[in-house]
Each structure stands twice: as C-alpha cells, then as structure tokens.
Amino acid sequence: MTERTIKRVIPALETSDGAGVRIRRSLRQTQLVRMDPFLMLDEFGSDQPQDYIAGFPAHPHRGFETVTYMIEGHMLHEDHLGNRGNLRNGGVQWMTAGRGIVHSEMPQQEEGMMRGFQLWLNLPAAEKMKAAGYRDIQPEDIPRIALDGGEVRLIAGELCLDGQLRQGAVSGGSTEPLYADLHLGAGGTLALPVAAHLNAMVYLYEGSASICGHGLTRSAATVLEAGDRLVLEAGPQGAQLLLIGGRPIGEPVVQYGPFVMNSREEIEQTLRDYQSGRLTA
C-alpha cells in the first residue's frame, strides 16, 4: 500500500456569511483553493450568540449539494418545498440543490456553543438540473466504529476497517463522497484505507496530529497526495479531524455566489431563472 502524504495546505480565512455569521473558510471560490469535486468547506463556531443568532436566512442554490454537520448546538432548516428539519448535535443535513432550491438555516438556541461544518459538493453537468431534495441524518444513524487508536464516525462512503467493509449513512453517488469524523486518543495512531481513485483531504479542528511526521495545521484543508492508505498520529491531547474524499469530476466550474454551473451562459440563465421565479418552478 502507498501512504498518502501532504500535498498542500489551504489555511482557512476568517469571514462571514448569511446574516453576518462568523466562519472559517478553507476551500473556496477559485480553482487554486479547491479540491475537485468539492467547492467549499466552512467551519462555524462560537459561544457568543451575536456571532450566530441571525443565522442564514432564505437564499437560493443551484448545481451542487450542501452537507451540514453539527457538532454542537442545533439548527432549523426550511426550504421552498415545505421540507423542515431540526439538525441536532452530531446530525447531518444532506441537501441536493439540483435545478434549484431556496432554503434557510436558523440557529434554535440563544445561548451556548453553536459549532459545525458546511461542505459544498459539486454535481457533474449531467446531474446539475436534477430535482432538488434533502435528507436529515440523525446522530444515531451515523455508524461509529471503534478502532485501536480512535473512533471513526462514518457519515458517507465506505471504508474497509478491521477486514470488514463498513458503509456510511450515505453511500453511492457519481462522485463517491467519503466523509468521516475521526477521533484519536492521546498519542493514538489511526491507519485507514482510502481508495486510490479519490481525491482526499483532512481538516484538523481539535487537538494536534501529524502525517508521516509532518504536523497538521489547525483549521486548514490539508490536501493529500495520491495513495491508498492514510496514517494519522495524534498529539498528547488527542485529535479530532475530518476526512473528506471524492471522485474528481474534471469539468469546468463557473461559480456565481450560490450558483455553480459549467459555463457563464448557464450562470446567466440561472440568474434569469431566479429573477423570474423559474429556479424553483
């Protein structure tokens, strides 16, 4: 097996989104700071209500999927289709914008910690105009696999662990998304197979860890070289990090805010559709 090493590091930038919610954004809106098939990765978190209480009021999307993972607090989701769900600690909302959706994400608490991640997953051209929809995944439906050195919470994809093929709460899809929350004990080592045909990265959000002796940067997208095995070593306080992977699409990406298509002409049509109400027709 070939171990995956560090290819490049994309530090998160402090910014704001929605109605002023403070976030750290690593993957973002240029090819130099993306990893096909992923478009964006935001980490949001604060124990100050003024940083999050205004939330993300109604806004449109087209052409990709959003994956929201809550690790503290809870958030209400509503969309123009009448769907409504309350994301709890440890839960995930997997939304397919497809041809068009208008939705809101609003915190449901006025004090305490609110923390989580939102990942944008691109759709290939053949799927960009598919019907919109979403799925709420409850914390108890996400497999938690205990291993020597730590625990894997497998949100999406599949991993062969201890000789068993384990499936995440979400599986399949043309981009074969892999999404896992890894928890390593103090000084623990976790070795995971990662399919060689997937692009992959890790995002350290608690503690410290290293790959092949090189320390990981906190709150940064660490893109990995090709390989089929990932070995992580935690520091003395342990580590918590995301493992994210997917099959690259290899198509042009043209983004205008919340719309992601393959050409400028398609973006212009999307804007006309939104202004005329056809985006969600």
Side-chain angles (χ1 to χ4, degrees):
M1 301 184 80
T2 303
E3 286 195 22
R4 288 186 180 251
T5 57
I6 296 173
K7 181 178 183 179
R8 60 184 173 131
V9 177
I10 305 172
L13 300 180
E14 296 274 354
T15 185
S16 64
D17 208 342
V21 178
R22 295 173 62 184
I23 58 176
R24 296 186 182 95
R25 177 167 293 165
S26 49
L27 303 185
R28 46 195 187 273
Q29 197 171 336
T30 72
Q31 192 59 43
L32 293 175
V33 285
R34 283 187 176 139
M35 185 190 75
D36 190 9
F38 301 99
L39 302 161
M40 190 184 81
L41 177 61
D42 284 353
E43 176 185 1
F44 54 90
S46 177
D47 60 2
Q48 301 298 312
Q50 64 269 22
D51 291 341
Y52 63 73
I53 197 64
F56 303 88
H59 56 280
H61 290 300
R62 173 179 276 183
F64 61 100
E65 297 182 301
T66 68
V67 184
T68 306
Y69 176 34
M70 295 297 297
I71 58 174
E72 292 188 73
H74 59 121
M75 188 176 289
L76 181 69
H77 158 84
E78 294 182 286
D79 65 30
H80 80 279
L81 298 168
N83 296 314
R84 180 183 174 98
N86 191 13
L87 272 176
R88 300 187 284 124
N89 290 11
V92 172
Q93 182 224 54
W94 199 291
M95 186 190 78
T96 300
R99 64 165 285 108
I101 201 164
V102 175
H103 77 145
S104 63
E105 300 149 301
M106 303 300 293
Q108 296 300 290
Q109 61 192 76
E110 296 183 1
E111 59 182 28
M113 188 70 181
M114 172 70 63
R115 193 177 187 194
F117 303 92
Q118 187 169 97
L119 177 69
W120 286 17
L121 171 59
N122 199 13
L123 288 170
E127 299 177 25
K128 284 189 177 294
M129 298 297 282
K130 69 195 296 186
Y134 87 107
R135 175 182 173 187
D136 271 347
I137 304 166
Q138 301 304 322
E140 55 270 23
D141 295 328
I142 296 173
R144 299 172 67 150
I145 304 128
L147 300 170
D148 289 341
E151 179 186 75
V152 176
R153 302 179 184 183
L154 192 52
I155 296 167
E158 60 182 38
L159 290 171
C160 188
L161 303 171
D162 285 345
Q164 287 186 296
L165 186 64
R166 306 298 295 263
Q167 297 279 350
V170 174
S171 60
S174 58
T175 56
E176 300 177 38
L178 171 65
Y179 194 173
D181 186 6
L182 310 178
H183 291 227
L184 282 70
T189 298
L190 200 56
L192 302 170
V194 179
H197 66 279
L198 303 182
N199 284 343
M201 57 166 275
V202 293
Y203 186 94
L204 177 71
Y205 66 92
E206 283 290 347
S208 60
S210 62
I211 295 174
C212 297
H214 296 281
L216 297 177
T217 302
R218 180 88 168 261
S219 294
T222 300
V223 180
L224 305 175
E225 294 280 8
D228 53 13
R229 183 171 183 260
L230 173 63
V231 179
L232 294 159
E233 297 182 11
Q237 289 81 41
Q240 295 174 41
L241 61 163
L242 305 178
L243 168 62
I244 295 169
R247 180 191 286 274
I249 297 172
E251 295 176 349
V253 175
V254 180
Q255 180 176 352
Y256 184 82
F259 307 128
V260 182
M261 302 300 288
N262 296 104
S263 69
R264 182 174 180 81
E265 291 74 20
E266 289 173 334
I267 289 292
E268 290 171 352
Q269 182 62 56
T270 296
L271 291 171
R272 289 193 292 271
D273 289 347
Y274 179 53
Q275 291 160 1
S276 68
R278 290 195 301 270
L279 184 89
T280 56

